[in-house]
Amino acid sequence: MLDTTPQSDAAPPQDEPRGCLFALSQPPLMIFLAVIGTLLLMAALHDLLLL
């Protein structure tokens, strides 16, 4: 049978600030950064190879 009693030491404290690694782990932010990075890469390649 599963132990469903709440563990007091398992949950992190709620008042602890979260760092930037937590922010970077969010999918919408990573998608946004990937799109911006792709646009910058395409612009750089266009400047280097086609102009």
Side-chain angles (χ1 to χ4, degrees), residues 20-38:
C20 75
L21 286 180
F22 174 77
L24 285 178
S25 69
Q26 303 304 309
L29 178 63
M30 292 306 293
I31 292 171
F32 172 74
L33 292 177
V35 168
I36 296 300
T38 303

Side-chain angles (χ1 to χ4, degrees), residues 32-51:
F32 172 74
L33 292 177
V35 168
I36 296 300
T38 303
L39 290 174
L40 287 173
L41 179 65
M42 288 173 52
L45 289 175
H46 176 266
D47 285 347
L48 287 173
L49 301 175
L50 298 176
L51 290 180

Side-chain angles (χ1 to χ4, degrees), residues 3-25:
D3 182 19
T4 58
T5 58
Q7 302 281 333
S8 63
D9 59 346
Q14 294 296 335
D15 58 348
E16 182 175 322
R18 296 181 183 214
C20 75
L21 286 180
F22 174 77
L24 285 178
S25 69

